[in-house]
Amino acid sequence: MRSPELRLDIATVCLSGTLDDKLAAAAAAGFDGVEIFENDLLVSTWAPREIRARCGDLGLSIDLYQPFRDFEAVPPDVFEANLRRAERKFDVMQQLGADTMLVCSSVSPDAVDDDDLAAEQLHELASRAGERGIRIAYEALAWGRFVNTYEHSWRIVRRGDHPALGLCLDSFHVLSKGSDIAGIRVIPGAKIFFLQLADAPKLRMDVLQWSRHHRLFPGQGAFDLSTFVGTVAATGYAGPLSLEVFNDVFRQSDPARTAADAMRSLVILREDVSNTGPVQVRERMRVADLSTVSAPAGYAFVELAAPAPAGILAAMGFVHIGQHNTRPIQLWQQGDARVAVRAGVSERIGALGVATSEPLVAAQRAKRLLASGMSDVDYDDPAVTAPDGVGIVFVRPEGDWMADFTPPEPGMVVNTCGITGIDHISLTEPFDDFDQIALFYRAALGLEPEPEAEFAAPFGLIRSRSASDRDRRIRIALNVATLRRGHWAPAVLDPQHIAFTSDDVVTTAMAMRALGAPLLDIPGNYYDDLDARFALPPERLDLLRSYSLLYDRDEHGEFLHFYTHMLGSRVFFEVVQRIDGYAGYGVVNSPVRMAAHRQFRLANAPARE
Amino acid sequence: MRSPELRLDIATVCLSGTLDDKLAAAAAAGFDGVEIFENDLLVSTWAPREIRARCGDLGLSIDLYQPFRDFEAVPPDVFEANLRRAERKFDVMQQLGADTMLVCSSVSPDAVDDDDLAAEQLHELASRAGERGIRIAYEALAWGRFVNTYEHSWRIVRRGDHPALGLCLDSFHVLSKGSDIAGIRVIPGAKIFFLQLADAPKLRMDVLQWSRHHRLFPGQGAFDLSTFVGTVAATGYAGPLSLEVFNDVFRQSDPARTAADAMRSLVILREDVSNTGPVQVRERMRVADLSTVSAPAGYAFVELAAPAPAGILAAMGFVHIGQHNTRPIQLWQQGDARVAVRAGVSERIGALGVATSEPLVAAQRAKRLLASGMSDVDYDDPAVTAPDGVGIVFVRPEGDWMADFTPPEPGMVVNTCGITGIDHISLTEPFDDFDQIALFYRAALGLEPEPEAEFAAPFGLIRSRSASDRDRRIRIALNVATLRRGHWAPAVLDPQHIAFTSDDVVTTAMAMRALGAPLLDIPGNYYDDLDARFALPPERLDLLRSYSLLYDRDEHGEFLHFYTHMLGSRVFFEVVQRIDGYAGYGVVNSPVRMAAHRQFRLANAPARE
């Protein structure tokens, strides 16, 4: 059997705006069809026939009208009223040209716990629908009064036994209940009329609130959507993959951007299913032109723009090893850590130089994941721009990219302070794009997520999510303020930093202080607490205190680290030493660092050359 | 026994910033003391002795050091380490001059379920604390591993039997578990060392997340704090009432404002306890200078500033009945609805004229609730400014305030459209201040909360909370966008409206249309859905459709209403008819109204004269 072409849909409820905004955004992002959420239709000034025409113009089909609620297993008078209500909606659907209606399992106090009655009434509904060329897709809401598992909805559909009666499966309702999805394999694909996809974070809360506010696009949450989709597709289901995501942020964000993020999620999900799903579905899910990622070999360099950073870099033992042949970029190096300093733009980490054996393939992959081209091309190597605006330059590990740089005059003093390489970079992202940006970096660079942390900083909560490749050559830590509003929070906006590695952070700190590097002082209260918590040997604690080193410990080993002041108002450096495979980022110490940065800023002008 | 003076405290964790910000805010709001949250101390550059000195300068005592975690019911080696840890914290407390330490019930995997062991180890801790003049206040966390109810913590404290060992009661931990607080009455007041207060909304979610993110100040949530405080105070507890509120918004908002809101909450809570609490505590809780509220007699007028509203008011049948003698304010009237139109300021509802038999007393009460004076005094009557900037002018119901207005020349045409009065006013408030503003209006005007609604508007979620007096003379609906960020949402910012009453909204709409009033058209899809939902008689549905009337129904009766266009970009009018005691505000129709307003704005310039 030749598979029909895979269709990708999005529910209008995922997107902000009125129906015209939503349809335009869905079409622009390349979706094939939409689910029309009833309220979007109700408030529209377009009559159903006009909506149909508009969708036609945009190349969108209307694949589902939803939701129809509280229909089944009710007393005869309510049943009559519900049939009347359904007929009115069938009128609308025929004008829309929509052939499938979603019927959610009842939450009504009128309903009774009687599967036979539910099946009988759904059969009658399907008969009437069928006469008008409409199909009924019955869905078990996770909070349905009597029917709240897909197994139960399937029993009722089977008992209802009508060609126009089938199932709607929604990953949220199935996976939020922790249902065993193996049972899906006994459902004939032809009886699955519709497949709705949503991811979600693991939250222990009321499932209805969880569903209505916290759904995410695939890959952004904690659900195993790949296995779910593979299982459903293996039944022979040939309908659309349709995103139905209720999310407070998406409801009020630019729908064009949300739709593009949604499409990226589907691309990544399809790749996953095509790699690891049941054999018979892999080809169908394959994404054309999406090459496999090469494992990154590490950071070749990080490009930085900051107010006059040369003084700080020199005081940290870096050496100016070259000047770009055509651009105002200086290359500074110490050990394997290279910082490309760019003049004349606002303070930020501008680009990551990622070493990979196949730069061109890696860049093509990133573009297929909806990265834009690098807007301001300064490198001959393939480059893209991540959704947060950071450039990614893919270079060969052999370092031939360095041929672009002319070495400076000889005789320069080399103050090596023991920095050996780049451990990670840390970026602060806007809350509304945080999940998508994290997903992009993981998918584009082949990283795996690490445990998420949330902590109370002096000016509000910060969530931190990091990712790294298996060999820990590329680590990226992404941070987000879970709220940032109003004029109060005086802290720097969206800080970013580069963390360098050292094999002996004490010696490195000593050497840097001797060279006059602007290192951050940590208050004494912190060390009194370290003493209380860890009972470190007194001489070790004194060493930490003397050099303002921070300390953490995990189940693997220990972590020592220190920071510089801000270069201007947002970028700074860190030096870290990982002992015995410590895996974290010292997040527990972040509030101390933030308060110290602020204290310094209140007391002094930022450190400048 | 003479009661000691009541002390009011706040935990530093309630407030944003570093310790210096927090202490300054607490002192400025008039608190007597603070709980110092450990992390605030750790990140501070002030040594404990400096913090003590700073608090002394500010007139704040340090009444609690918190929290000390995971202490009790552990194996001997862990116990030794924990005692060492505690001694280090006692060192800090002695330098701070703090005499009470909060010890939370353990969540540690090291702990065992052994009350005797817990009591024995807490006894040892208390002995060591007692030698240094320190007391241990043991608190059952709602998510404590073995000890998670106040009854259980009390059994352990009693068994621990040491003068320096007592309880900390926290309203969140007690009330979130649904515990019966009657059991508090058997605890001797002298064994309650500390009382922490927090309110919270009713949420069905993991209790730890609920506690850490969603606590509120008293009166803002769903807990009965009045009974709780009355019960604790009746034991003879003589320590502070201390607010400990973990809230994501407060963590990042101006601490001076948060502290003032916190103090207002305590004032209102104390009034409630002093009115309804056990007799022996009433006098102690009494708030000096807070007079009882007079029941409002209704809206005397609403003051409105808008671009050239005279044309719309005239087209709605209002008559210009007078001109203010000294200010650029016109008075328009129809039935008992009066709108004071003010020239020359930005578009908004500027003030509410509230009729009351004791204007001066009502204004004094509002000021004691931390309303500021009315910044721009245009009325001779007592006036204040609510926290959202809306003025409240208290006037006598007899209408002598109208003497300020000179009637216009006679012979004016009176186009009465059947408006009889003002039903409610509706304001959109900023999210961060929503709970406090709602609490202020309720407390200042003697209103009772009505059920809260949340709905999906085209550009994001809206929460709506209304309040009214018992006789439904003053109704205020407050709305908030639960998220509003970024540049997308094109809707008007912070809309406000005045809803007038009519006894026959169909006739009113007809009359207004005949006069050319700019009434809002409602799309046909809405009426098709009304038909499906309510099966109204066809001729009635046609009437609604013809005049763009919206419809709702509740358990009491029916609601008919319609809207005007925006006067400028945020203010509009509504006309409502309540049939058979309908109690709501037609919130279900709000998305339709919002989409229609937007559609009109896209298609036309705003309606102006």
Side-chain angles (χ1 to χ4, degrees), chain B residues 262-283:
Chain B
M263 182 53 81
R264 179 189 301 119
S265 278
L266 277 182
V267 170
I268 295 167
L269 174 65
R270 286 172 60 192
E271 178 184 47
D272 205 7
V273 181
S274 71
N275 285 338
T276 64
V279 172
Q280 69 270 34
V281 312
R282 291 187 178 189
E283 185 50 34

Side-chain angles (χ1 to χ4, degrees), chain A residues 300 356 359 380-381 394-405:
Chain A
T356 169
D380 294 333
D381 304 271
F394 294 100
V395 302
R396 286 184 208 287
E398 297 76 32
D400 40 2
W401 62 277
M402 286 176 66
D404 290 346
F405 289 88

Side-chain angles (χ1 to χ4, degrees), chain B residues 292-447:
Chain B
T292 310
V293 69
S294 323
Y299 284 108
F301 65 92
V302 173
E303 184 199 281
L304 176 74
I312 288 189
L313 285 169
M316 294 177 73
F318 278 80
V319 177
H320 178 196
I321 63 157
Q323 175 73 41
H324 196 281
N325 293 333
T326 57
R327 307 282 174 176
I329 300 177
Q330 292 186 343
L331 191 62
W332 291 73
Q333 179 163 350
Q334 181 175 184
D336 270 336
R338 278 167 295 272
V339 180
V341 176
R342 195 178 200 282
V345 296
S346 63
E347 183 185 3
R348 63 191 171 92
I349 292 178
L352 312 179
V354 174
T356 170
S357 54
E358 298 167 296
L360 206 59
V361 175
Q364 280 166 345
R365 174 182 172 79
K367 283 181 189 158
R368 187 67 184 83
L369 294 168
L370 304 179
S372 42
M374 197 160 166
S375 54
D376 189 359
V377 179
D378 284 319
Y379 303 91
D380 294 333
D381 304 272
V384 300
T385 303
D388 58 356
V390 174
I392 305 179
V393 187
F394 294 100
V395 303
R396 284 184 210 286
E398 298 76 34
D400 40 3
W401 62 277
M402 286 175 66
D404 290 346
F405 289 86
T406 307
E409 65 282 7
M412 171 166 261
V413 181
V414 178
N415 301 308
T416 290
C417 295
I419 282 179
T420 54
I422 292 175
D423 184 82
H424 65 277
I425 58 118
S426 173
L427 304 171
T428 305
E429 305 290 1
F431 182 88
D432 291 2
D433 302 318
F434 186 61
D435 296 313
Q436 269 304 329
I437 289 168
L439 180 60
F440 170 83
Y441 277 116
R442 293 209 312 269
L445 301 180
L447 310 182

Side-chain angles (χ1 to χ4, degrees), chain B residues 128-142:
Chain B
R128 297 201 185 195
E131 286 165 18
R132 301 169 72 158
I134 290 173
R135 308 186 305 168
I136 300 298
Y138 183 58
E139 173 184 64
L141 297 179

Side-chain angles (χ1 to χ4, degrees), chain A residues 226-555:
Chain A
S226 173
T227 302
F228 179 77
V229 169
T231 304
V232 175
T235 65
Y237 170 73
L241 303 185
S242 186
L243 297 169
E244 193 205 25
V245 172
F246 304 88
N247 177 291
D248 293 358
V249 171
F250 302 163
R251 281 187 193 280
Q252 69 103 59
S253 310
D254 179 353
R257 171 128 190 180
T258 308
D261 289 344
M263 183 53 81
R264 179 189 301 119
S265 278
L266 278 182
V267 169
I268 295 167
L269 174 64
R270 285 173 60 194
E271 178 184 47
D272 205 6
V273 181
S274 71
N275 285 337
T276 63
V279 172
Q280 69 271 34
V281 311
R282 291 188 179 190
E283 184 52 31
R284 186 150 187 263
M285 291 292 164
R286 210 173 59 79
V287 182
D289 314 324
L290 186 67
S291 44
T292 310
V293 70
S294 321
Y299 284 108
F301 66 92
V302 173
E303 184 198 281
L304 177 72
I312 289 190
L313 284 170
M316 293 177 74
F318 279 80
V319 177
H320 178 199
I321 63 157
Q323 175 73 40
H324 195 282
N325 292 335
T326 58
R327 308 282 174 176
I329 300 177
Q330 292 185 342
L331 190 63
W332 290 72
Q333 179 162 352
Q334 181 175 185
D336 271 335
R338 277 169 293 273
V339 180
V341 176
R342 195 177 200 283
V345 295
S346 63
E347 184 185 1
R348 64 190 170 94
I349 290 177
L352 313 179
V354 174
T356 169
S357 54
E358 298 168 295
L360 206 59
V361 175
Q364 279 165 347
R365 174 183 173 78
K367 283 181 189 158
R368 188 68 183 82
L369 294 168
L370 303 178
S372 42
M374 198 158 166
S375 53
D376 190 358
V377 179
D378 283 321
Y379 303 90
D380 294 333
D381 304 271
V384 299
T385 303
D388 57 357
V390 173
I392 305 179
V393 187
F394 294 100
V395 302
R396 286 184 208 287
E398 297 76 32
D400 40 2
W401 62 277
M402 286 176 66
D404 290 346
F405 289 88
T406 306
E409 65 280 8
M412 170 167 261
V413 180
V414 178
N415 301 308
T416 289
C417 295
I419 282 180
T420 54
I422 292 175
D423 184 81
H424 66 276
I425 59 119
S426 172
L427 304 170
T428 305
E429 306 288 1
F431 182 87
D432 291 3
D433 302 318
F434 186 61
D435 295 314
Q436 270 303 330
I437 289 169
L439 181 60
F440 170 83
Y441 277 117
R442 292 209 313 269
L445 301 180
L447 311 182
E448 290 167 3
E450 298 178 315
E452 181 171 294
E454 193 168 290
F455 59 90
F459 299 100
L461 296 178
I462 304 288
R463 190 172 298 156
S464 185
R465 186 184 292 169
S466 54
S468 72
D469 67 299
R470 205 162 296 182
D471 297 330
R472 307 285 183 268
R473 287 169 170 167
I474 293 281
R475 297 182 200 247
I476 298 183
L478 301 178
N479 303 293
V480 62
T482 60
L483 286 178
R484 178 172 284 151
R485 288 195 290 257
H487 303 296
W488 157 247
V492 288
L493 285 180
D494 304 331
Q496 303 182 329
H497 77 270
I498 307 174
F500 302 111
T501 49
S502 164
D503 293 335
D504 179 354
V505 86
V506 177
T507 304
T508 297
M510 287 175 68
M512 288 185 179
R513 283 189 184 266
L515 288 171
L519 304 189
L520 192 66
D521 289 329
I522 300 300
N525 296 343
Y526 171 77
Y527 296 96
D528 295 341
D529 182 59
L530 272 193
D531 181 24
R533 284 196 291 147
F534 295 114
L536 297 173
E539 57 284 4
R540 185 145 195 234
L541 188 66
D542 286 348
L543 208 59
L544 297 179
R545 192 191 295 262
S546 302
Y547 291 100
S548 278
L549 304 178
L550 296 142
Y551 178 86
D552 192 26
R553 191 188 272 180
D554 69 7
E555 70 273 30

Side-chain angles (χ1 to χ4, degrees), chain A residues 61-92:
Chain A
S61 57
I62 302 177
D63 293 328
L64 191 75
Y65 185 78
Q66 64 117 333
F68 192 77
R69 299 183 190 280
D70 294 336
F71 175 80
E72 78 284 11
V74 289
D77 57 326
V78 180
F79 181 54
E80 279 310 310
N82 288 353
L83 281 174
R84 179 184 180 286
R85 183 159 56 97
E87 294 276 9
R88 293 291 75 75
K89 297 301 175 186
F90 293 159
D91 298 343
V92 172

